[in-house]
Amino acid sequence: MYKDKLDRILLKVQKPSRYIGGELNSIEKDPEKVTMRFAFCFPDTYDIGMSHLGMKILYSLINSVPEYWCERVFMPLPDMEEQMRKNDILLYGLESLEPIRNCDFIGFTLQYELSFSNILAMLDLAGLPVYAKDREALTPIVCAGGPCVCNSEPIADFVDICILGEGEEINLELMRLLEQCKAEGVSKHEFLVRAAQIEGIYVPSLYDVQYNEDCTIKSIIPLEGAPAKVRKRIIADFDSVYYPETFVVPFSEIVHDRAVVEVLRGCIRGCRFCQAGYFYRPFREKSVDTIKKETVSVCETTGYDEVSLTSLSTSDHSEIEKMLACLADYSDAARVNLSLPSMRIDRFSEELLDRIKSVRKSGLTFAPEAGTQRLRDVINKNITEENIMNGCRIAFEGGYTAVKLYFMLGLPTETMEDIEGIAELCQRIIDLYYSLPSRPKGKGIKISVSLSTFIPKPFTPFQFEPQPTEDVIKERQKHLMEVVNTKKVQVSRSHFDVTHLEAALARGDRRLSAVIYAAWKKGCKLDGWTEYYHYDKWLEAFSECGIDPSFYVNRQRSYDEILPWDHMDLLIDKSFFVRENKRAHEAQTTPNCREKCSGCGVSRCIGRACFPNG
Amino acid sequence: METKNIRVFFSKTGRAVYISHLDLYRLFQRAIKRAKLPIWETEGFNPHVYITFALPLALGTAGLCESMDTKLTEDISTDELVQRFNDALPRDIRVLSAAEPVRKATEIALSEYEAEFDCDSEAFTKFLSAEHIPAEKKTKRGIAELDLKQHLNVLEQRPGYLRFSFPSGAEFNINAGLLFDAFEKISGTEIYSLHITRTAIKCSDGKIFG
């Protein structure tokens, strides 16, 4: 164990407590008494990874099995990496402080494409070959899960196994299989062939991908009995799904430093740009009793004074009012603040505002996503201008003077009129503010516009769409800056360089493994961090591999093209995405799932209607 | 009931030595919330449990006699207080005892330390016997030069081991680690491992801070 070696270096790095473990509720087991060891790697820094709910759930779940031990592993920042390399310290787990290369599983959770290079960096720091084919021994098995696994092709050469869908059941099944294979002494290849038979397991090396001359995919052929389509795993009974009684409480402050309770999974909305909205289908929610029980448990065992009710759209819980009333009783008595992220502006009411006002009155964030009704219909946001105005009015009358609005630039069918619509919408909100007699006295209004760039993602109706080119994006950004002519509106925009890479990786195929390798060799890692991101090196890597990123970013795909992720089955029909894409181009909206089933295919797969009246 | 002042003594060792002073403050606040201890809360717009630390401990240094002052709103036995704290704290922070404060934090004059280390012993002895040990100390106003030798009191020395004291307190405080930084700088040799532990905090009359 590295304790002594770490004592020698930790005072030389920033915020050392994140590299030493030992936090409250972290789990240490006797290595002699465990049969399977799982290194759960979050391919970003501790401060970010420790905020992630999925890791907390799966960490506790694996550790609930007495003979299995799950440890946490994060990407060290460059100052720490330098010290580790200088002192021959391999990447280690925070619980045992032992090298993770001795674990049975090294599992990465992939939350965003810009963390791909960190997988290579972490495997290398662990003292392991980055290419799966070069790791010949049965263990460690390198696996990956999380939403990016719906198209894991760009990292296909590096990981042994991908886990598609929700990990609460499948992770333990996979661990039991490896335990058995270890006992039998089978080869890694044999293990992979057997693992591919588990529903939700994707073994990239068991698929042969052939390309056409124009670089599109010709065929994806499963080998050695692997399924032609890998079917996403979902938890059927979400109300009784495993949820940790407690969380590890970091010593230092992290990004989301609070208790979290997941109130629902999936989303009824069907926004056409949103991958999560399709990835996590079907919509399932927890009962108010379960939410209350989990809230109390997590708060009491961590000592946090804030709990966040999280989901893709918390205000869509069918019993949101009852839930909040019930939780307010507890939170008032226990002096815990409730926070409600992910609120839809059309579900915003005086009552909801009262609930969240007690926490803090900093500002409210809404996401209209587009400046005109036409474009909001194209993306199926299903929010009207009236909804937006009404939400803002409630906020202003409730004492708020600042609102933050999220917009996307570069959406399909977008014109300059839609860009101007953003500025006009902001002006109407300003006018509304000053028209209200009950507005906060003596205070001006501040609108922060956060302008991100649309990135077409797999498993969305926009998966066929091009992202506009650099010139177009920059021109539209510039135009918005020109038409916003009041200091009351502040615009922040995303950097083209970063969205460009994310767009290429999101819809990439296996040929991108070579590019990621080349970029990593040039020193690319921590790409999500502005200070460490090197766009020029990525472009060099693409060019050296003879690959033009615009093939992935700016190309319109036909509906019948074989997409790199077509052998993944998210329980949603490709024909549904085609249908939705066509409706988008006609600016036709689709009602939310609770109102009317849109026939995406999920209900057929789960063998029941998603909603009682469906 | 009237609030009752209480001083809680604790150790901070092992992995916990890397917890910064600010983080330690939050850690105890949460521990109090978890343990549901009857601790007085400040009044005002944003109430929070009242705790204050007599003397901060440098990052990386372990402590066996650290203390935190707080106020109880209900009578609770010392044993129960210690037990409930320990059930709610991470393993490497242990509450050892609690008692009504005797001395004021302003009376603190020095800290005693034990250091175990691995370096060139001869060079270290030579370093300690020099007439002056110049070092740089970070202060709020910038970097100040000082002579550690003037303030250092060696209590016990053998190869790889040193027991010593440095001035401590709100007015003037010397971080024990400075001595070893100065050694590396002056001797040009490296310390391969170093563990420093604060073993006692004393008042100007030489008595233990209690």
Side-chain angles (χ1 to χ4, degrees), chain A residues 225-254:
Chain A
K229 282 234 174 201
V230 178
R231 200 177 150 115
K232 174 181 83 170
R233 283 290 284 267
I234 55 161
I235 301 297
D237 181 3
F238 186 58
D239 191 47
S240 64
V241 71
Y242 177 85
Y243 199 74
E245 284 168 21
T246 190
F247 295 167
V248 175
V249 184
F251 293 135
S252 56
E253 230 163 333
I254 56 168

Side-chain angles (χ1 to χ4, degrees), chain A residues 549-605:
Chain A
S550 67
F551 174 79
Y552 301 100
V553 180
N554 309 112
R555 187 172 60 88
Q556 175 74 52
R557 281 95 168 143
S558 71
Y559 292 144
D560 55 11
E561 179 177 328
I562 298 177
L563 300 170
W565 52 91
D566 270 356
H567 51 317
M568 299 296 118
D569 176 9
L570 288 202
L571 317 183
I572 300 175
D573 303 329
K574 193 174 181 181
S575 60
F576 167 77
F577 290 131
V578 171
R579 212 159 64 227
E580 279 291 293
N581 184 276
K582 288 178 181 162
R583 289 176 73 84
H585 282 278
E586 293 157 8
Q588 292 287 312
T589 61
T590 296
N592 75 56
C593 301
R594 193 175 264 143
E595 250 169 68
K596 184 172 180 288
C597 176
S598 56
C600 69
V602 159
S603 72
R604 191 187 62 240
C605 292

